[in-house]
Amino acid sequence: MKDVETQELGSTPKTISGIDTLYYFYETNEQYDDLYLDILDQYEESKARFEKRDLKYENKDINVLINKQTFFFNGKAQGFYWFTHIDSYFTIGFKDYRKNRGLNDIQVQLDARGIYFLGIKFLIQYIDAILVDYITGHKPITRADLNIFVQSDLSWIDKTMFVTRKRKYETLIKERANKHKLETLYIGKRPFLLRLYDKRAELKKSKKKDMMYNHFITYGFDRTNDIYNIEFEMHRDYLKTFKIDTVDDLLSGAEALFKDCLNGIRMVDLSSITDNTKEMKNKHRAKTHPLWEHLEKSYTLKEFYEIQAPIERIKRKSYKYTIVEAIKDTIAVARKFHIHGGVIDEMFFKEVLDEFKKNHINSIKDKQGVKLVYENVTTQINPRDLDDLELQKYILKLKEDLDSPSDLDIQVLIKKYENAYIELRTRGLDNPCEYPF
């Protein structure tokens, strides 16, 4: 590593401010018991479909519908049944209202995909709408991570450059680096701690990589240059000291809170004090480092709060035709057949099953016999291999398939569009069509 006492920040780096994580409760009304029992019934029915056929299953194979939105089961913890939204926008837990009365009945954990893709304010409103019949509107907060991305190589920073406001309290410091540079630095412990880490290194194996790079490009970052994340994690006990009890309190006070965090765990300029002062463990007398001063001036959430996705983009994605709905539709068809004199028995369903298998196998054979051409999006295409005109043509074709009903996997199409769109942005080209989701 470079000499931390002589390292200069250089030109003022670009920054992107945000709220990276948000956990909170919902206060429920007298209708919540109906919701909880309905979720429990769906959960048991979903499990039974596997068990009565002696089929192995994982948690994610169990799903429930809440206000026409599909959720996959995650597991049980802390008395809650945990489910993740079909598009991984958030995770939500439900508990028996008669147990552990000291906690609210619904707990929500907002995921980065939901926060950066939909916008934090819109995402909260979206969840409110799903649960509207069962909540009062009061949302006590349990955790918030305020962060700022920095377009700069910060590997020269190390643990000796930090002082904490409450020097008498125990502070945990962890540092992880590879052969070449610092990757992660932790200072503090719950309920208040700082994380500083190499974001590009973290994203190398992350499913969120494409989405996050699109976010960075949108706000003027260069994806080929270093990106570090500076993040303060705060839990309920710490937040309460600033009279932040609810989600609304946080959203209105986040900017002031972040600036106080910079003072709570402060990065100092070691060159501003003598060696003797350092040895006497009086580093708190040092001046605040220019980087920390820059972050204090830069942190603003105006643009972050303005991120908002149109609701129609979500409705198309957040739907899964479930076995419950398939059974209802099958009953409706069987009833119609019965009204017209048909006999509904085991033989009827056997004939339906045999016909389905025959048609399904023929359908697969037909698809295998189709020769794929460039315009067919099932072809494996690397957007980086296309010239500018081909890339724009490819994006227009993807949009056409997204807008038209087809047998193609919508999640695969969206992934292909995201990758192609990011490549377009990196080339500095105009968007050939409106971003469709």
Side-chain angles (χ1 to χ4, degrees):
M1 285 189 191
K2 300 176 184 177
D3 184 348
V4 298
E5 296 188 29
T6 59
Q7 172 69 34
E8 294 183 358
L9 184 60
S11 60
T12 304
K14 293 181 179 179
T15 62
I16 303 174
S17 308
I19 300 174
D20 211 41
T21 301
L22 181 60
Y23 294 178
Y24 62 93
F25 287 108
Y26 275 105
E27 182 181 77
T28 56
N29 59 28
E30 62 276 4
Q31 304 300 320
Y32 171 75
D33 193 32
D34 294 336
L35 172 65
Y36 178 75
L37 292 176
D38 179 57
I39 291 171
L40 214 56
D41 286 344
Q42 292 186 64
Y43 166 77
E44 295 295 344
E45 288 173 6
S46 193
K47 283 203 310 179
R49 293 189 188 99
F50 291 96
E51 292 170 350
K52 69 183 180 183
R53 294 176 174 84
D54 292 324
L55 297 175
K56 292 183 179 180
Y57 62 91
E58 299 178 357
N59 283 341
K60 65 182 180 180
D61 297 320
I62 307 300
N63 61 76
V64 302
L65 278 177
I66 304 172
N67 201 358
K68 299 182 181 180
Q69 298 290 305
T70 303
F71 293 82
F72 297 109
F73 183 58
N74 263 351
K76 299 177 187 177
Q78 301 171 333
F80 286 80
Y81 286 81
W82 289 95
F83 298 87
T84 295
H85 186 266
I86 185 173
D87 294 310
S88 300
Y89 293 146
F90 62 95
T91 297
I92 188 166
F94 303 91
K95 79 170 184 66
D96 188 336
Y97 77 99
R98 294 164 297 186
K99 297 179 181 178
N100 200 352
R101 292 178 179 268
L103 286 178
N104 286 282
D105 299 319
I106 300 176
Q107 186 175 172
V108 173
Q109 299 178 354
L110 301 190
D111 185 85
R113 176 173 172 79
I115 290 174
Y116 290 109
F117 188 66
L118 302 180
I120 194 166
K121 286 190 173 183
F122 180 80
L123 179 57
I124 294 167
Q125 293 170 4
Y126 179 52
I127 302 170
D128 287 349
I130 294 173
L131 302 172
V132 63
D133 294 331
Y134 313 102
I135 57 176
T136 66
H138 183 59
K139 297 185 278 285
I141 192 168
T142 64
R143 172 181 166 181
D145 296 0
L146 307 185
N147 74 300
I148 188 165
F149 296 110
V150 182
Q151 179 93 80
S152 181
D153 178 5
L154 302 182
S155 61
W156 48 272
I157 296 175
D158 76 11
K159 60 188 178 182
T160 66
M161 304 180 72
F162 292 89
V163 295
T164 59
R165 181 164 46 201
K166 298 181 179 180
R167 298 190 302 278
K168 294 182 180 179
Y169 293 179
E170 180 185 1
T171 298
L172 299 180
I173 299 177
K174 298 180 182 179
E175 192 175 48
R176 184 173 71 230
N178 59 26
K179 293 180 181 179
H180 308 289
K181 63 180 184 179
L182 172 78
E183 285 191 349
T184 308
L185 178 67
Y186 297 89
I187 297 178
K189 63 176 184 177
R190 291 183 60 176
F192 174 56
L193 62 97
L194 163 70
R195 276 189 300 274
L196 186 154
Y197 59 93
D198 184 339
K199 188 65 179 179
R200 290 183 69 219
E202 184 215 34
L203 289 175
K204 284 180 180 178
K205 298 181 180 180
S206 173
K207 295 179 180 178
K208 301 180 294 185
K209 178 175 65 175
D210 293 333
M211 178 199 69
M212 290 306 304
Y213 275 125
N214 181 59
H215 180 72
F216 294 148
I217 292 167
T218 299
Y219 290 95
F221 273 23
D222 183 342
R223 65 178 294 172
T224 64
N225 291 339
D226 290 288
I227 301 173
Y228 272 72
N229 190 25
I230 297 172
E231 181 175 76
F232 292 100
E233 176 183 324
M234 290 161 282
H235 294 259
R236 180 166 45 189
D237 291 344
Y238 187 83
L239 293 168
K240 280 186 174 181
T241 62
F242 295 90
K243 296 183 179 180
I244 294 177
D245 298 312
T246 68
V247 170
D248 290 339
D249 293 338
L250 176 80
L251 297 181
S252 62
E255 291 182 0
L257 180 60
F258 183 84
K259 291 171 183 178
D260 188 87
C261 289
L262 293 171
N263 290 322
I265 299 177
R266 187 168 62 98
M267 182 178 174
V268 297
D269 181 359
L270 294 177
S271 66
S272 66
I273 55 175
T274 65
D275 291 339
N276 185 51
T277 303
K278 297 173 193 174
E279 292 172 2
M280 294 179 66
K281 299 182 179 180
N282 284 326
K283 289 190 296 183
H284 64 279
R285 295 180 179 176
K287 295 180 180 179
T288 299
H289 195 280
L291 173 61
W292 241 229
E293 293 177 339
H294 175 58
L295 299 184
E296 183 175 1
K297 296 175 183 176
S298 302
Y299 193 82
T300 174
L301 294 174
K302 184 178 183 296
E303 289 185 334
F304 177 74
Y305 286 156
E306 289 174 351
I307 300 172
Q308 180 168 323
I311 187 67
E312 57 269 17
R313 294 180 181 177
I314 301 172
K315 286 183 177 179
R316 181 175 57 201
K317 292 180 58 188
S318 302
Y319 175 76
K320 179 184 179 183
Y321 189 66
T322 67
I323 190 169
V324 174
E325 293 170 297
I327 290 172
K328 287 181 180 178
D329 289 346
T330 303
I331 291 172
V333 172
R335 184 181 293 114
K336 183 177 180 180
F337 180 57
H338 177 67
I339 291 172
H340 287 79
V343 178
I344 306 301
D345 55 10
E346 290 185 5
M347 183 59 70
F348 167 78
F349 287 104
K350 183 178 184 304
E351 289 183 21
V352 171
L353 181 60
D354 290 343
E355 193 66 23
F356 168 78
K357 288 180 178 178
K358 183 174 68 176
N359 290 340
H360 184 59
I361 291 172
N362 289 338
S363 175
I364 292 174
K365 287 181 178 178
D366 291 342
K367 288 180 180 179
Q368 288 175 341
V370 174
K371 184 178 180 181
L372 300 178
V373 295
Y374 169 74
E375 283 76 12
N376 192 320
V377 297
T378 57
T379 308
Q380 293 299 318
I381 295 174
N382 185 345
R384 295 182 181 180
D385 295 336
L386 305 177
D387 62 31
D388 292 349
L389 185 59
E390 289 175 332
L391 179 60
Q392 294 188 60
K393 180 182 177 183
Y394 179 52
I395 290 175
L396 288 168
K397 175 61 179 171
L398 288 169
K399 182 180 184 299
E400 180 183 322
D401 285 298
L402 279 167
D403 291 337
S404 305
S406 70
D407 294 331
L408 297 170
D409 188 327
I410 188 68
Q411 297 295 339
V412 172
L413 285 174
I414 290 171
K415 184 70 173 177
K416 288 176 179 288
Y417 193 101
E418 287 178 343
N419 290 339
Y421 183 79
I422 289 169
E423 177 61 24
L424 188 78
R425 294 293 298 274
T426 58
R427 298 186 188 184
L429 299 175
D430 292 332
N431 190 359
C433 51
E434 183 184 358
Y435 208 50
F437 48 86

